[in-house]
């Protein structure tokens, strides 16, 4: 059998084949379908009724209420009500209501495991690739087919192998790695291929940092962003109540055909992406003293437990600069509780942060927390015009370290200066 990449092995297993080759079109068995209040019931319910079919396997469906909670107006109340009523009507066993962002809540409950093929009703669904699962986003029509049949066809992609050598320096994160790669290759650099992250620096990353890498593979145009599972993956799943996971098969074979790139983690500086694209990414030192009025620590790429800890390392014992509004929206209720028990949330609040609900919030333009015309530095994944609400806002993307440092300084600054 020819040497196979991790992406090929996952698609071969899902399609019941011994091996697959790039360009093959295969029909895959779906192990998990995830959708949220925005992408799910309000669209799927009428289509399923029109089709006259039900859900192929309720135990393989996960619904998360995260985009329109807490409900702030009649339209959001309508959307969330539809989701809640449909979940009760269908007796869905896996529903997470107002507990955090889907890309964080679903993995922390052990739903995503090595070897699975998963789809999500959200473009950042490639987050699941951090666990050695083939997970990608689909639209409502494709999700309808999955929910009705439990299957989906996939064109086997070629693999881009992103090898990171060395070790990141303190204050440099997976977010900086991704911003550097997007800045180099652009938002279509992945060409809808499979991207696999490997090398010493990737192995050194925690699971939450790997989740950020996989998540933002969407911004580089890749269908999936994969990390081969290891002992860290096993430990995470054991903590999530999933013991005994077999990771042995899920790695790329030596000699597997892939387009390969190498990066030096040790020399990487913190990066910032200027408006209005993640591809406008440059080292933090290129920005001078660009003033900020809002610092936002939130979203699936910037408000997990380890992100909150990073921000607290900068903010502890300091105060937010005059004229800067610091907002923190922890990515999940579980992570917020842990951050509270460690004193992390107290450090953020004492520095002047306003704590927002565990939801997508301003990252998806909901909640009205971003003022018109503001310069915003955010831990979110995207900075398209109007993405965070006002089209007049100028949004810069950065890591939690860099966002926290900008909140203290009042302008973009290298966070490493505050970690001495």
């Amino acid at each position: 059998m020819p040497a196979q990449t991790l992406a090929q092995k996952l698609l071969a297993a899902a399609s019941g084949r011994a091996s697959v080759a790039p360009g093959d079109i295969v029909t895959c068995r779906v192990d998990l379908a995830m959708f949220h209040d925005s992408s799910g019931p309000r669209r799927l319910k009428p289509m399923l009724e029109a089709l006259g079919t039900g859900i192929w396997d309720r135990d393989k469906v996960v619904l998360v209420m995260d985009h329109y909670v807490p409900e702030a107006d009649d339209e959001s109340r309508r959307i969330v009500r539809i989701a809640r009523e449909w979940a009760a009507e269908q007796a869905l066993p896996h529903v997470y209501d107002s507990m955090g962002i889907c890309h964080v809540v679903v993995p922390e409950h052990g739903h995503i495991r090595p070897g699975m093929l998963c789809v999500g009703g959200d473009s950042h669904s490639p987050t699941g690739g951090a666990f050695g699962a083939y997970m990608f986003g689909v639209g409502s029509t494709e999700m309808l087919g999955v929910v009705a049949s439990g299957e989906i066809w996939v064109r086997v992609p070629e693999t881009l192998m992103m090898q990171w050598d060395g070790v990141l320096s303190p204050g440099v994160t997976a977010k900086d790695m991704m911003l550097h790669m997007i800045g180099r290759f652009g938002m279509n650099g992945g060409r809808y291929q499979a991207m696999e992250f490997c090398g010493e620096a990737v192995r050194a990353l925690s699971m939450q940092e790997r989740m950020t890498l996989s998540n933002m593979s969407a911004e580089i145009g890749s269908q999936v962003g994969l990390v081969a599972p290891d002992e860290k993956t096993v430990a995470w799943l054991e903590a999530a109540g999933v013991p005994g996971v077999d990771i042995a098969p899920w790695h790329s074979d030596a000699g597997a055909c892939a387009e390969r790139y190498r990066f030096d983690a040790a020399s990487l500086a913190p990066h910032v992406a200027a408006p209005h694209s993640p591809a406008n990414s440059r080292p933090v030192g290129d920005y001078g003293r660009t003033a900020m009025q809002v610092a936002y620590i939130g979203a699936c790429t910037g408000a997990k437990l380890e992100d909150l800890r990073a921000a607290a390392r900068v903010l502890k014992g300091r105060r937010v600069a005059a004229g800067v509004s610091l907002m923190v929206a922890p990515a999940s209720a579980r992570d917020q509780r842990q951050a509270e028990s460690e004193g992390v949330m107290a450090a953020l609040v004492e520095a002047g942060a306003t704590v927002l609900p565990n939801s997508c919030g301003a990252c998806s333009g909901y909640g009205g927390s971003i003022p018109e015309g503001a310069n915003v530095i955010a831990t979110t994944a995207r900075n398209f015009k109007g993405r965070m609400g006002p089209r007049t806002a100028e949004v810069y993307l950065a890591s939690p370290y860099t966002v926290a440092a900008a909140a203290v300084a009042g302008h973009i600054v290298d966070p490493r200066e505050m970690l001495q």
Side-chain angles (χ1 to χ4, degrees):
M1 186 172 70
Q4 300 271 284
T5 64
L6 175 56
Q8 288 172 264
K9 288 184 177 182
L10 290 166
L11 290 176
S15 60
R17 300 187 179 195
S19 65
V20 295
D24 289 350
I25 296 175
V26 293
T27 299
C28 296
R29 179 195 69 256
V30 174
D31 297 304
L32 181 78
M34 180 276 293
F35 38 81
H36 46 61
D37 48 345
S38 180
S39 67
R42 65 170 173 157
R43 294 184 169 95
L44 289 173
K45 182 180 188 310
M47 291 193 294
L48 281 169
E49 289 172 350
L51 196 61
T53 186
I55 299 173
W56 100 99
D57 188 336
R58 286 172 175 78
D59 197 49
K60 294 182 178 180
V61 168
V62 180
L63 169 62
V64 183
M65 268 69 100
D66 62 357
H67 273 60
Y68 288 95
V69 292
E71 306 94 295
D73 50 47
D74 288 343
E75 179 63 8
S76 59
R77 282 187 282 272
R78 182 189 71 85
I79 292 168
V80 175
R81 184 185 70 251
I82 290 170
R84 289 171 177 155
E85 290 178 351
W86 189 73
E89 174 188 308
Q90 297 295 322
L92 296 182
H94 307 301
V95 179
Y96 301 99
D97 191 341
S98 307
M99 296 173 64
I101 303 169
C102 59
H103 309 299
V104 180
V105 171
V106 173
E108 74 183 12
H109 285 85
H111 289 292
I112 303 172
R113 301 180 294 280
M116 294 177 70
L117 185 132
C118 313
V119 298
D122 189 280
S123 59
H124 287 116
S125 297
T127 306
F131 295 84
Y134 199 103
M135 187 167 186
F136 58 100
V138 298
S140 297
T141 304
E142 280 186 298
M143 185 62 79
L144 172 65
V146 169
V147 170
S149 71
E151 295 183 338
I152 190 169
W153 68 264
V154 180
R155 183 180 185 273
V156 179
E158 296 178 351
T159 291
L160 302 178
M161 197 73 71
M162 304 304 207
Q163 179 171 329
W164 282 84
D165 302 314
V167 179
L168 296 172
S169 61
V172 185
T173 70
K175 184 69 168 288
D176 300 304
M177 296 166 74
M178 272 315 304
L179 289 177
H180 174 74
M181 287 185 283
I182 298 166
R184 174 174 168 179
F185 295 101
M187 292 198 70
N188 290 317
R191 304 187 295 279
Y192 297 99
Q193 294 174 331
M195 192 165 284
E196 183 175 343
F197 306 104
C198 61
E200 180 186 2
V202 174
R203 288 282 166 240
L205 295 176
S206 67
M207 289 307 301
Q208 288 197 335
E209 283 282 83
R210 295 178 190 183
M211 287 162 65
T212 296
L213 273 187
S214 295
N215 176 297
M216 290 189 69
S217 64
E219 312 315 325
I220 206 168
S222 180
Q223 185 183 43
V224 292
L226 300 169
V227 180
D230 59 12
E231 68 283 350
K232 290 182 181 178
T233 319
V234 172
W236 171 286
L237 290 169
E238 286 180 348
V242 187
V245 173
D246 181 16
I247 63 172
W250 308 118
H251 60 84
S252 289
D253 294 331
C257 184
E259 192 173 325
R260 300 176 187 273
Y261 298 92
R262 297 186 74 165
F263 306 87
D264 179 20
S267 65
L268 184 69
H271 272 54
V272 175
H276 293 283
S277 170
N280 295 335
S281 173
R282 305 191 304 276
V284 65
D286 289 3
Y287 288 87
R289 295 169 63 91
T290 305
M292 292 293 135
Q293 289 81 53
V294 176
Y296 184 82
I297 296 171
C300 45
T301 52
K304 300 181 290 296
L305 177 60
E306 293 190 18
D307 301 318
L308 301 174
R309 288 170 175 164
R313 283 189 63 195
V314 172
L315 291 167
K316 189 171 184 179
R318 297 186 170 101
R319 290 286 300 176
V320 172
V324 177
S325 173
L326 172 61
M327 292 175 281
V328 178
S332 79
R334 178 181 292 185
D335 279 355
Q336 181 172 349
R337 287 193 299 271
Q338 182 61 33
E340 287 169 348
S341 72
E342 296 176 7
V344 166
M345 295 306 299
L348 302 179
V349 171
E350 288 165 8
T354 298
V355 180
L356 302 178
N358 310 123
S359 67
C360 294
C363 178
S364 57
Y366 181 70
S369 51
I370 303 299
E372 294 280 353
N375 275 4
V376 182
I377 187 162
T379 61
T380 56
R382 290 176 180 156
N383 58 344
F384 308 148
K385 185 182 285 290
R387 165 77 180 184
M388 295 187 75
R391 292 184 62 81
T392 55
E394 299 278 314
V395 180
Y396 296 74
L397 303 178
S399 77
Y401 284 113
T402 306
V403 172
V408 171
H411 55 79
I412 293 177
V413 65
D414 191 326
R416 295 174 294 184
E417 297 175 12
M418 299 186 186
L419 293 174
Q420 301 299 323

